[in-house]
């Protein structure tokens, strides 16, 4: 499967995506989400404080997942350079972020990945470093086989997608054979001490629905995942994060193609939860694109909606005051983060 | 094409109170409490509802509880097993009456 970009698909354009989000439903306008925030006095949406720097190291990935909001895949060549990483390190050195969240694509495919992790750790021995590891990358090539050891050495926290504890559902979303490889990779991580009680090495799994429906309640599903993975494969992990699919990129294309768009959006809108709205991740996170530009979140990054703080739109121009005082850009895809128990890269928010 | 069942009507279920509010309010309050976590989990209750939906052959309920069970983290295998439970009871309910037929056959046969 090729990325939407490689197919030259109309939805590979962020303008086209935004247009769908603003006009494809009766009784729905471009400021529908903003109107909901106004009702609960949260508009304009403001940051609380910047604690998390989520850095997208590139769109290249060894997988082509059907729901991917990044439209990542082997055919994507956008990769962060060492120069841009150096600019990120300046922010780590001089500002108050407490968590670095490395994502992609497969972040490990960036040739400077290990250098960057080592550099962050040498600046701050205590800072939390999360790597969003897709698991299969560990087995994709011999040069990645020692990743579990590398992760352990630098006390990296692992967050890995596993849509379900069975092969059928996992492979239908992430590609043939992904489940089997993911199980092998999880065993390697467990062998290294990840997800094992008492080691302090954190392995969290991420669940997102394989279709046009909402995620299950996080606590109940976590218990189910733990039981099934332990009983059948002897695999252990720390927490399960449930994430709602946001209607952008490949998931938007799926919703439109399968005629589920309207029903799915109605469900997100009907499930708007003010508590989840006040806890959205864009309030404490800045997302850095592969080219160094700054965004409110990874979704706004993919929609090419740069932060509104004009003097601080690139990592090299980082101005914490401007960023903290900025208005966060909200559009109708944001209903995905505020539905039900809420959704963020760390799971539910309400 | 006009049909007796319109999928769009499912989302209007909550509006039945327009014609008789007090009874609708009581029903929905009861309904909500029935499906809350209790001695059975909300997930178990949703699977029971899916099986019952097939027994009573209500298309609204089948749509609603297919989505609901998936949103409770059930997979296709579990959902189909629930429907087989309904089918087994329905089939069994027919077959168990065969005992009456057998009794009658014996009664009237030499």
């Amino acid at each position: 499967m090729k990325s939407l970009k490689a197919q030259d698909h109309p939805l590979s354009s962020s303008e086209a995506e935004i247009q769908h989000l603003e006009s494809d439903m009766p009784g729905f306008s471009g400021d529908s989400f903003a109107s909901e925030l106004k009702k609960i006095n949260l508009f304009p949406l403001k940051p609380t404080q910047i604690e998390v720097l989520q850095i997208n190291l590139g769109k290249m990935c060894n997988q082509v997942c059907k729901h991917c909001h990044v439209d990542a895949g082997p055919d994507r060549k956008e990769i962060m350079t060492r120069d841009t990483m150096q600019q990120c390190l300046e922010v780590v050195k001089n500002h108050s972020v407490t968590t670095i969240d490395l994502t992609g694509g497969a972040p490990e495919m960036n040739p400077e990945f290990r250098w960057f992790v080592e550099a962050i750790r040498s600046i701050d021995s205590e800072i939390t470093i999360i790597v969003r590891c897709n698991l299969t990358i560990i087995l994709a090539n011999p040069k990645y086989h020692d990743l579990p050891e590398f992760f352990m050495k630098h006390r990296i926290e692992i967050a890995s997608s596993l849509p379900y504890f069975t092969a059928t559902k996992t492979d239908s979303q992430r590609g043939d054979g992904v489940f089997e490889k993911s199980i092998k990779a999880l065993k390697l991580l467990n062998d290294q001490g990840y997800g094992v009680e008492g080691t302090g090495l954190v392995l969290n799994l991420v669940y997102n629905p394989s279709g046009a429906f909402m995620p299950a309640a996080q606590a109940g599903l976590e218990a189910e995942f733990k039981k099934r993975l332990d009983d059948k494969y002897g695999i252990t992990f720390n927490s399960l994060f449930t994430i709602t699919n946001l209607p952008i990129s490949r998931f938007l294309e799926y919703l439109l193609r399968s005629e589920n768009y309207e029903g799915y959006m109605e469900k997100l809108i009907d499930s708007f939860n003010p508590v989840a709205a006040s806890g959205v991740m864009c309030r404490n996170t800045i997302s850095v694109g592969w080219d160094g530009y700054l965004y409110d979140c990874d979704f706004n990054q993919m929609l090419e909606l740069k932060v509104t703080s004009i003097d601080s739109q690139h990592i090299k121009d980082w101005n914490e005051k401007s960023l903290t005082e900025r208005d966060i850009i909200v559009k109708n895809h944001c209903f995905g983060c505020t539905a039900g128990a809420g959704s963020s890269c760390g799971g539910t928010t309400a | 094409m006009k049909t007796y069942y319109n999928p769009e009507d499912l989302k209007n279920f909550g509006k039945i109170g327009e014609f008789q509010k007090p009874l609708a309010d009581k029903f929905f309050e009861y309904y909500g409490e029935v499906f809350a976590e209790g001695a059975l989990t909300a997930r178990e209750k949703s699977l029971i509802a899916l099986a019952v939906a097939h027994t009573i052959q209500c298309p609204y309920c089948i749509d609603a509880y297919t989505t609901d069970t998936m949103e409770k983290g059930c997979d296709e295998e579990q959902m189909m097993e629930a429907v087989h439970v309904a089918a087994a009871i329905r089939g069994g309910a027919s077959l168990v009456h065969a005992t009456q037929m057998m009794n009658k056959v014996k009664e009237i046969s030499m």
Side-chain angles (χ1 to χ4, degrees):
Chain A
M1 194 168 98
K2 285 181 177 174
S3 66
L4 294 176
K5 189 176 183 199
Q7 293 173 45
D8 204 18
H9 193 286
L11 282 174
S12 64
S13 134
S14 54
E15 290 89 354
E17 290 178 83
I18 291 169
Q19 199 176 346
H20 276 291
L21 287 164
E22 294 190 344
S23 59
D24 259 14
M25 271 179 64
F28 197 55
S29 72
D31 62 356
S32 291
F33 186 78
S35 303
E36 289 298 327
L37 290 187
K38 278 176 196 161
K39 287 181 204 163
I40 55 170
N41 297 319
L42 264 183
F43 188 82
L45 189 63
K46 290 284 191 183
T48 45
Q49 66 179 109
I50 299 164
E51 295 167 309
V52 182
L53 198 60
Q54 187 174 59
I55 306 173
N56 194 307
L57 296 188
K59 297 185 179 182
M60 188 181 284
C61 190
N62 58 317
Q63 293 183 185
V64 191
C65 299
K66 285 183 188 163
H67 69 295
C68 183
H69 71 279
V70 179
D71 191 27
D75 59 43
R76 299 302 299 262
K77 306 300 177 205
E78 301 91 331
I79 283 282
M80 184 175 277
T81 62
R82 191 184 279 214
D83 280 351
T84 308
M85 289 177 181
Q86 199 78 57
Q87 291 161 356
C88 294
L89 292 174
E90 288 303 309
V91 172
V92 176
K93 212 180 289 179
N94 301 317
H95 298 278
S96 61
V97 291
T98 53
T99 298
I100 304 294
D101 185 343
L102 301 178
T103 186
E108 303 91 337
M109 290 180 85
N110 185 311
E112 307 288 359
F113 168 75
R114 294 187 194 218
W115 173 83
F116 190 40
V117 168
E118 283 164 0
I120 298 168
R121 198 36 98 216
S122 70
I123 290 171
D124 189 332
S125 62
E126 295 305 315
I127 199 165
T128 300
I129 308 175
I130 299 170
V131 171
R132 300 204 172 260
C133 172
N134 70 16
L135 297 173
T136 63
I137 189 69
I138 295 172
L139 302 162
N141 185 302
K143 69 180 174 182
Y144 300 125
H145 288 354
D146 66 335
L147 275 171
E149 200 182 333
F150 176 81
F151 292 150
M152 183 202 66
K153 188 178 167 197
H154 297 286
R155 286 170 290 117
I156 304 289
E157 195 173 305
I158 307 294
S160 292
S161 281
L162 189 71
Y164 211 62
F165 43 74
T166 61
T168 324
K169 266 184 144 40
T170 301
D171 291 358
S172 77
Q173 184 184 103
R174 298 176 74 78
D176 288 344
V178 166
F179 182 75
E180 198 187 327
K181 286 180 199 158
S182 299
I183 292 295
K184 280 185 190 162
L186 284 169
K187 284 183 177 169
L188 292 172
L189 287 166
N190 275 175
D191 290 347
Q192 202 67 58
Y194 270 100
V196 178
E197 210 179 324
T199 62
L201 294 170
V202 179
L203 169 61
N204 295 322
L205 296 183
V206 179
Y207 162 90
N208 64 292
S210 311
F213 55 97
M214 298 272 288
Q218 190 163 274
L221 196 63
E222 178 183 290
E224 181 84 3
F225 262 67
K226 284 195 166 172
K227 185 175 180 334
R228 297 295 195 103
L229 289 176
D230 192 16
D231 286 356
K232 195 158 181 189
Y233 306 103
I235 287 169
T236 56
F237 65 95
N238 294 88
S239 299
L240 180 78
F241 300 149
T242 57
I243 292 188
T244 304
N245 290 315
L246 260 66
I248 70 166
S249 195
R250 281 185 208 149
F251 191 67
L252 175 61
E253 188 277 328
Y254 155 76
L255 288 174
L256 292 166
R257 180 169 37 83
S258 61
E259 298 184 354
N260 277 305
Y261 176 74
E262 205 170 312
Y264 189 73
M265 289 306 290
E266 275 173 4
K267 177 157 273 191
L268 295 185
I269 294 163
D270 290 346
S271 314
F272 179 80
N273 178 353
V275 179
S278 67
V280 283
M281 64 179 177
C282 50
R283 302 189 77 187
N284 75 341
T285 302
I286 287 288
S287 159
V288 188
W290 66 275
D291 52 3
Y293 282 99
L294 305 181
Y295 304 86
D296 301 302
C297 68
D298 209 39
F299 303 106
N300 279 6
Q301 180 183 147
M302 299 314 147
L303 291 172
E304 299 176 351
L305 302 166
K306 292 188 184 89
V307 287
T308 53
S309 43
I310 300 296
D311 65 339
S312 184
Q313 286 196 318
H314 192 279
I315 191 78
K316 68 177 163 39
D317 303 317
W318 182 275
N319 179 331
E320 194 141 329
K321 188 170 181 293
S322 298
L323 288 166
T324 309
E325 290 173 356
R326 80 193 192 280
D327 291 349
I328 294 167
I329 300 173
V330 293
K331 292 198 177 285
N332 293 333
H333 61 292
C334 303
F335 277 114
C337 287
T338 57
S343 181
S344 75
C345 289
T348 56
T349 54
Chain B
M1 189 179 76
K2 277 194 168 184
T3 63
Y4 281 102
Y5 288 111
N6 178 358
E8 290 300 305
D9 285 340
L10 176 57
K11 65 180 85 149
N12 295 324
F13 185 22
K15 294 180 186 167
I16 62 163
E18 280 177 21
F19 282 14
Q20 219 295 0
K21 193 164 182 327
L23 288 176
D25 287 349
K26 280 182 181 158
F27 171 78
F28 285 119
E29 190 188 345
Y30 165 77
Y31 194 103
E33 215 161 298
V34 164
F35 280 95
E37 295 276 341
L40 292 174
T41 63
R43 189 171 182 276
E44 289 164 339
K45 289 176 181 181
S46 186
L47 280 168
I48 294 170
L50 182 71
V52 174
H54 283 76
T55 305
I56 58 173
Q57 293 172 302
C58 166
Y60 299 120
C61 312
I62 292 172
D63 266 8
Y65 283 95
T66 297
T67 307
D68 193 66
T69 44
M70 291 182 85
E71 290 182 343
K72 296 280 188 299
C74 301
D75 68 7
E76 289 86 337
E77 199 180 351
Q78 293 165 332
M79 292 157 69
M80 189 57 88
E81 282 186 17
V83 177
H84 275 292
V85 171
I89 295 294
R90 285 195 83 147
S94 291
L95 285 171
V96 74
H97 285 80
T99 58
Q100 187 183 342
M101 175 270 284
M102 290 164 78
N103 289 341
K104 190 67 185 173
V105 167
K106 285 169 189 165
E107 184 189 313
I108 62 172
S109 299
M110 283 190 288

